Amino acid sequence: MSGLRRALRIDNWSTLNYKPLFNDPTTGMPQRRAFPEAAAPWVPAEDERRLAYYKLLTAYTHNQAGELAEIRDGEEARERREFGDPGMFVSTTVAHVLGREQRITVPGAEESGADPAAVRVQELLDQWWEDELVPMRLQQTEQKAVSLGDGVMHLWWDAEKRRPRITTYDPGFYFPVLDEDADGTDFPSRVHFAWELPEDKKRGLPARLRRITYELDWIRPATASGVDQSGRPVRAPLMTEATDTTPAAPVLGIGDQITPDGLIARQYPWNDEPSYKTCYLTDATWALSDLTGDIDVDSLPLGKAHFATNAQGEVLDRLDLYYDFISIIHVPNTVPEAGEHWGQSSLALPLQVFDELAGSDTDASRASATTGLPMIAISGVSDSRDQFDVEPGALFKLGDNGKMTSVDTSSALRELREHRHDLADRAANVARLPAVALGTIDPTKVPSGYALQLSLGPLDSLMASMRLARDHADRLLPKFVQRLFHAGQHPDWQGLPVLPARLVRGPYTPTDQAAVLDQVVTAYEKKVISLETALRMLADAGWPIEDAEQEIQQIDARSFEEARMLADALNNPDEVAAFLGRKAPDAPETPPVILPPTGAAAAALEQAQQDPETGEQGSGGNA
């Protein structure tokens, strides 16, 4: 083996080249005994290392790296101690990158005088968020993205539930057809999900390969479900009935029009201009025995495929989905390198340290056995054939000059434990997860909040990079949801625009709520932030504010001093009542104003008020 020359291979997965299982010295490819799935004949050659990379990292997060190493190193590799350190690092990173809570926000929906359309879209998205259990779907996706380097979400319209659904896929099933001339970060126009199905002897089914394909292509004439000559379900083009004067012609889809250049155009609710593209769905299964020759997942023979049928009875053979985008979201764990499509696992760089940790744990376990049950040497026994058991109350008969000596291995165990702590710190440094983020530091040993904030510097830079890699996906998720609601013609969404909403991730570091409150109060009193911004800052700091708009209404309903100033400024009771969330009282009736009489009327009144006997003015006078 020493005469072999190992080639240097650098790619997105070369951080695992030190593994003999992953980088065979003769071929540079993963060993097929360890990764038979990656070497399947339908798997493209460029994806073989990627699939082996996923399996190897999954073994680490499931404490099964020793089982995988047994394939090459024999049964001794099964004695490897694995105490869950890689899985703990993954879970911690997932919690930080997601934050304490997640939500979808529509710009302008929570501001005073907000656009009614934005408010309505926010309400509908919030309802969908609860119905679809989106936080759980995000957790599933991030578990794959952080541990394997890539996560995949697929959004699709469920005609029965009348809402978009989310399916999370293992990235090992994800096979995008990447254009060699395009940027790797550009999303492809054709994507496959493919996996093998084992033989089902009870149902008489052989081993099969299932492939689900989403392809963005030109709009074509309408098709309908049918069967071919062998009885296999397929889709066939719809044709008009021929007459004596006109031949049969293809039928256009609903709302489709032929443009002067001969293309078919379709107006989608979310586009200002007509589109010439649509997304086609194909769901097919092949018997593995039929897959022979030079083929891969993108060139399977459709003539041997068996197409599935959905709940509505439609054959899934290039079924037109009536929207012009592929509703698949690829979530890379890191910002891909230039021209690259794939992310990198958070375990990739510290993986060798995890190997050293497992070796240290194994050595410590062996050393602890000799420490708990020490080794003893006895000399000068009466009969060398006697067997001695070391146990409490044991009596040993020694002859002249007999001696008993115990071997103390506790110092070696102590050194191993200290070495393990050093390795754990090294892994945390490489992964950029400080002790405070892992929860392994004593809070009483932190000198101040400022020192705590400084210790979180590596975590801040890590989260900034990881959330940047997810920024595009966080914008695509609410955009796809709105478009799918429109494509499904849900009545609640009729007339609403597709607004630029986004997924917002919560804070990931401990927050001093009292300090944030002081900052918010000072800024609000100085009129440098609005009440909406103040409440949003408090909610991000962990204050129990679920609905900012409702919270503002409750605050305004008790702001009588502000209402008095509003009344002085506007002199409008209706505006003040609306501010307080109350109804303005009815205005009191004003009594009529009676003016005193003048001229002849005044003289007549004075004459009538004189005393007829004395001629003097009565007590009433001109009161």
Side-chain angles (χ1 to χ4, degrees), residues 556-597:
D556 290 344
R558 297 168 177 82
S559 301
F560 301 111
E561 183 64 23
E562 286 79 0
R564 184 187 62 79
M565 291 188 292
L566 183 64
D568 294 341
L570 301 179
N571 194 23
N572 189 335
D574 293 332
E575 289 283 350
V576 177
F579 174 77
L580 294 173
R582 304 184 181 188
K583 182 180 179 180
D586 296 333
E589 295 184 1
T590 304
V593 178
I594 301 177
L595 299 177

Coordinates of all heavy atoms in Angstrom, one line a residue, residues 556-597:
D556 N -53.3 52.3 23.7 CA -54.0 53.6 23.3 C -55.3 53.7 24.1 O -55.7 54.8 24.4 CB -54.3 53.6 21.8 CG -53.0 53.8 21.0 OD1 -52.0 54.2 21.6 OD2 -53.1 53.6 19.8
A557 N -56.0 52.6 24.4 CA -57.3 52.7 25.1 C -57.1 53.2 26.5 O -58.1 53.7 27.1 CB -57.9 51.3 25.2
R558 N -55.9 53.3 27.1 CA -55.7 53.8 28.4 C -54.8 55.0 28.4 O -54.4 55.5 29.5 CB -55.1 52.7 29.3 CG -56.1 51.5 29.5 CD -55.3 50.4 30.2 NE -56.2 49.2 30.4 CZ -56.6 48.3 29.5 NH1 -56.1 48.4 28.3 NH2 -57.4 47.3 29.9
S559 N -54.5 55.6 27.3 CA -53.6 56.7 27.2 C -54.5 58.0 27.2 O -54.7 58.7 26.2 CB -52.8 56.6 25.9 OG -52.0 55.5 25.9
F560 N -55.0 58.3 28.4 CA -55.9 59.5 28.5 C -55.2 60.8 28.4 O -55.7 61.8 27.9 CB -56.7 59.4 29.8 CG -57.5 58.2 30.0 CD1 -57.1 57.2 30.9 CD2 -58.6 57.9 29.2 CE1 -57.8 56.0 31.0 CE2 -59.3 56.8 29.3 CZ -59.0 55.8 30.2
E561 N -53.9 60.9 28.8 CA -53.2 62.1 28.7 C -52.9 62.4 27.2 O -53.1 63.6 26.8 CB -51.9 62.0 29.4 CG -51.0 63.3 29.4 CD -51.7 64.4 30.2 OE1 -52.6 64.2 31.0 OE2 -51.4 65.6 29.9
E562 N -52.5 61.4 26.4 CA -52.3 61.6 25.0 C -53.6 62.0 24.3 O -53.7 62.8 23.4 CB -51.7 60.3 24.4 CG -50.3 60.1 24.7 CD -50.0 59.5 26.1 OE1 -51.1 59.3 26.8 OE2 -48.9 59.3 26.5
A563 N -54.7 61.4 24.8 CA -56.0 61.7 24.2 C -56.4 63.2 24.5 O -57.0 63.9 23.6 CB -57.1 60.8 24.8
R564 N -56.1 63.7 25.7 CA -56.3 65.1 26.0 C -55.5 66.0 25.0 O -56.1 67.0 24.5 CB -56.0 65.4 27.4 CG -56.4 66.8 27.8 CD -55.8 67.1 29.2 NE -54.4 67.0 29.3 CZ -53.5 68.0 28.9 NH1 -54.0 69.1 28.4 NH2 -52.2 67.8 29.0
M565 N -54.3 65.7 24.8 CA -53.5 66.5 23.9 C -54.0 66.4 22.5 O -53.9 67.4 21.7 CB -52.0 66.1 24.0 CG -51.3 66.4 25.3 SD -49.6 66.0 25.4 CE -49.6 64.2 25.3
L566 N -54.5 65.2 22.1 CA -55.0 65.1 20.8 C -56.3 65.9 20.6 O -56.5 66.5 19.5 CB -55.4 63.6 20.5 CG -55.9 63.2 19.1 CD1 -54.9 63.5 18.0 CD2 -56.3 61.7 19.1
A567 N -57.1 66.0 21.7 CA -58.3 66.8 21.6 C -58.0 68.3 21.5 O -58.6 69.1 20.8 CB -59.2 66.6 22.9
D568 N -56.9 68.7 22.2 CA -56.5 70.1 22.1 C -56.0 70.5 20.7 O -56.1 71.6 20.2 CB -55.4 70.4 23.2 CG -56.0 70.3 24.6 OD1 -57.2 70.4 24.8 OD2 -55.2 70.2 25.5
A569 N -55.3 69.5 20.1 CA -54.7 69.7 18.8 C -55.7 69.7 17.7 O -55.7 70.5 16.8 CB -53.6 68.7 18.5
L570 N -56.7 68.8 17.8 CA -57.6 68.6 16.7 C -59.0 69.2 16.9 O -59.7 69.5 16.0 CB -57.8 67.1 16.3 CG -56.5 66.4 15.9 CD1 -56.8 64.9 15.6 CD2 -55.9 67.0 14.7
N571 N -59.4 69.3 18.2 CA -60.7 69.7 18.6 C -61.8 68.9 17.9 O -62.8 69.5 17.3 CB -60.9 71.2 18.3 CG -62.1 71.8 19.0 OD1 -62.6 71.3 20.0 ND2 -62.7 72.9 18.4
N572 N -61.6 67.6 17.8 CA -62.5 66.7 17.1 C -62.8 65.5 18.0 O -61.9 64.6 18.2 CB -61.9 66.2 15.8 CG -62.8 65.5 14.9 OD1 -63.8 64.9 15.4 ND2 -62.6 65.5 13.6
P573 N -64.0 65.5 18.7 CA -64.3 64.4 19.6 C -64.2 63.0 18.9 O -63.9 62.0 19.5 CB -65.7 64.7 20.1 CG -65.8 66.2 19.9 CD -65.0 66.5 18.6
D574 N -64.6 63.0 17.6 CA -64.6 61.7 16.9 C -63.2 61.1 16.8 O -63.0 59.9 17.0 CB -65.3 61.8 15.6 CG -66.7 62.1 15.7 OD1 -67.4 61.7 16.7 OD2 -67.3 62.8 14.7
E575 N -62.2 62.0 16.5 CA -60.8 61.5 16.4 C -60.3 61.0 17.7 O -59.6 60.0 17.8 CB -60.0 62.6 15.9 CG -60.2 63.0 14.4 CD -59.5 62.0 13.5 OE1 -58.8 61.1 14.0 OE2 -59.8 62.0 12.3
V576 N -60.7 61.7 18.8 CA -60.2 61.3 20.1 C -60.8 60.0 20.5 O -60.2 59.1 21.1 CB -60.5 62.4 21.2 CG1 -60.1 62.0 22.6 CG2 -59.8 63.7 20.8
A577 N -62.1 59.8 20.3 CA -62.8 58.6 20.6 C -62.2 57.4 19.8 O -62.1 56.3 20.4 CB -64.3 58.7 20.3
A578 N -61.9 57.6 18.6 CA -61.3 56.6 17.8 C -59.9 56.2 18.3 O -59.6 55.0 18.3 CB -61.2 57.0 16.3
F579 N -59.2 57.2 18.8 CA -57.9 56.9 19.4 C -58.0 56.0 20.6 O -57.2 55.1 20.8 CB -57.2 58.2 19.7 CG -55.9 58.1 20.5 CD1 -54.7 57.7 19.8 CD2 -55.8 58.3 21.8 CE1 -53.5 57.5 20.5 CE2 -54.7 58.1 22.5 CZ -53.5 57.8 21.9
L580 N -59.0 56.3 21.4 CA -59.2 55.5 22.6 C -60.0 54.2 22.4 O -60.2 53.4 23.3 CB -60.0 56.3 23.7 CG -59.3 57.5 24.2 CD1 -60.2 58.4 25.1 CD2 -58.0 57.1 25.0
G581 N -60.4 54.0 21.1 CA -61.2 52.8 20.8 C -62.6 52.8 21.4 O -63.2 51.8 21.7
R582 N -63.2 54.0 21.5 CA -64.5 54.2 22.1 C -65.4 54.9 21.1 O -64.9 55.4 20.0 CB -64.5 54.9 23.4 CG -63.5 54.2 24.4 CD -63.6 54.9 25.8 NE -62.7 54.3 26.7 CZ -62.7 54.6 28.0 NH1 -63.5 55.5 28.5 NH2 -61.8 54.0 28.8
K583 N -66.7 55.0 21.4 CA -67.6 55.8 20.6 C -67.8 57.2 21.2 O -68.0 57.3 22.4 CB -69.0 55.0 20.6 CG -70.0 55.7 19.7 CD -71.3 55.0 19.7 CE -72.3 55.7 18.9 NZ -73.6 54.9 18.9
A584 N -67.7 58.2 20.4 CA -67.9 59.5 20.8 C -69.3 59.8 21.4 O -70.3 59.3 20.8 CB -67.6 60.5 19.7
P585 N -69.5 60.5 22.5 CA -70.8 60.7 23.0 C -71.6 61.7 22.1 O -71.0 62.5 21.4 CB -70.6 61.4 24.4 CG -69.2 62.0 24.3 CD -68.4 61.1 23.3
D586 N -72.9 61.6 22.2 CA -73.8 62.5 21.4 C -73.7 63.9 22.0 O -73.6 64.1 23.2 CB -75.2 62.0 21.4 CG -75.4 60.7 20.8 OD1 -74.6 60.4 19.9 OD2 -76.4 59.9 21.1
A587 N -73.6 64.9 21.1 CA -73.5 66.3 21.5 C -74.8 66.7 22.2 O -75.9 66.4 21.7 CB -73.2 67.2 20.3
P588 N -74.8 67.5 23.3 CA -76.0 67.9 24.0 C -76.7 69.0 23.2 O -76.1 69.7 22.4 CB -75.4 68.5 25.3 CG -74.0 68.9 25.0 CD -73.5 67.9 24.0
E589 N -78.0 69.0 23.4 CA -78.8 70.0 22.7 C -78.6 71.4 23.3 O -78.6 71.6 24.5 CB -80.3 69.7 22.8 CG -80.7 68.4 22.1 CD -82.2 68.2 22.2 OE1 -82.9 69.0 22.7 OE2 -82.7 67.1 21.7
T590 N -78.3 72.4 22.4 CA -78.1 73.8 22.8 C -79.4 74.6 23.0 O -80.2 74.6 22.0 CB -77.1 74.5 21.8 OG1 -76.0 73.7 21.7 CG2 -76.8 75.9 22.3
P591 N -79.7 75.2 24.2 CA -81.0 75.9 24.3 C -81.0 77.2 23.4 O -79.9 77.8 23.1 CB -81.0 76.3 25.8 CG -79.6 76.3 26.2 CD -78.9 75.2 25.4
P592 N -82.2 77.5 22.9 CA -82.2 78.7 22.0 C -81.9 80.0 22.7 O -82.1 80.2 23.9 CB -83.7 78.7 21.5 CG -84.4 78.0 22.6 CD -83.5 77.0 23.1
V593 N -81.3 80.9 22.0 CA -80.9 82.2 22.6 C -82.0 83.2 22.3 O -82.4 83.4 21.2 CB -79.6 82.7 22.0 CG1 -79.2 84.1 22.5 CG2 -78.4 81.7 22.2
I594 N -82.5 83.8 23.4 CA -83.7 84.8 23.3 C -83.1 86.2 23.5 O -82.5 86.6 24.5 CB -84.7 84.5 24.4 CG1 -85.3 83.1 24.2 CG2 -85.8 85.6 24.3 CD1 -86.3 82.7 25.3
L595 N -83.2 87.0 22.5 CA -82.7 88.4 22.5 C -83.8 89.3 23.1 O -85.0 89.1 22.8 CB -82.3 88.8 21.1 CG -81.2 88.0 20.5 CD1 -80.9 88.5 19.0 CD2 -79.9 88.1 21.3
P596 N -83.5 90.4 23.8 CA -84.5 91.3 24.3 C -85.1 92.1 23.2 O -84.5 92.4 22.2 CB -83.7 92.2 25.2 CG -82.3 92.1 24.7 CD -82.1 90.8 24.2
P597 N -86.4 92.4 23.4 CA -87.1 93.2 22.3 C -86.6 94.6 22.2 O -86.1 95.2 23.2 CB -88.6 93.1 22.7 CG -88.5 92.9 24.2 CD -87.3 92.1 24.5

